[in-house]
Amino acid sequence: MKRVLLLSIICVVVLLSCTDRDDEFNLVNIRILNSTELLFTEVRVADKDTVYENVEAGKFSEYMEFETGYANTTISILTDSTSLNYTPTEVSSDSLPLGFYTYEITLDEENQVGLTFRIDD
């Protein structure tokens, strides 16, 4: 009897254990990595007018869902002291497949915004 009870408890725990983030998603999920020393009070992805708020220096934002997403997009950034913009030189017309992605935002010595697109595992 104890074995049946123990086996039942183990089965329930295995079935109800935490889910992987990849288990249930139906959209493109994108987050921001702030690879600068500035606090981004607002990061706006212009194509969808989606706003990420308060992305700290060296930190990731939460994922936000998009029906369509692109590897390269226009981004506007507000900090406490300035407004920055990134406009891609090439724009892809192919939408990203469902999945998890990161836009890494950097600044060079002349405060020019750089955007690196990454596929998350």
Side-chain angles (χ1 to χ4, degrees):
M1 183 67 173
K2 288 183 181 181
R3 286 185 179 174
V4 172
L5 180 61
L6 182 60
L7 185 58
S8 297
I9 290 172
I10 290 172
C11 287
V12 168
V13 169
V14 168
L15 291 173
L16 297 178
S17 62
C18 65
T19 60
D20 187 18
R21 69 175 185 188
D22 297 343
D23 287 348
E24 296 180 28
F25 65 93
N26 298 318
L27 299 170
V28 174
N29 293 270
I30 301 173
R31 67 181 174 178
I32 302 294
L33 171 56
N34 179 355
S35 291
T36 72
E37 296 179 4
L38 302 172
L39 167 66
F40 294 162
T41 54
E42 183 178 288
V43 179
R44 183 177 303 270
V45 178
D47 291 346
K48 302 298 177 199
D49 204 32
T50 302
V51 177
Y52 297 85
E53 295 180 336
N54 300 319
V55 183
E56 295 179 37
K59 304 277 178 138
F60 289 95
S61 69
E62 295 293 321
Y63 284 99
M64 295 188 95
E65 295 180 329
F66 294 79
E67 288 186 25
T68 57
Y70 301 94
N72 217 353
T73 187
T74 302
I75 293 181
S76 300
I77 303 163
L78 292 178
T79 69
D80 289 334
S81 60
T82 189
S83 175
L84 304 164
N85 294 299
Y86 173 80
T87 303
T89 54
E90 286 184 26
V91 179
S92 173
S93 61
D94 296 332
S95 178
L96 296 169
L98 301 181
F100 290 86
Y101 306 95
T102 298
Y103 291 146
E104 180 181 2
I105 299 173
T106 57
L107 289 177
D108 65 13
E109 297 81 29
E110 290 131 16
N111 277 344
Q112 296 299 312
V113 178
L115 177 71
T116 304
F117 172 77
R118 297 197 176 154
I119 301 170
D120 299 340
D121 295 326

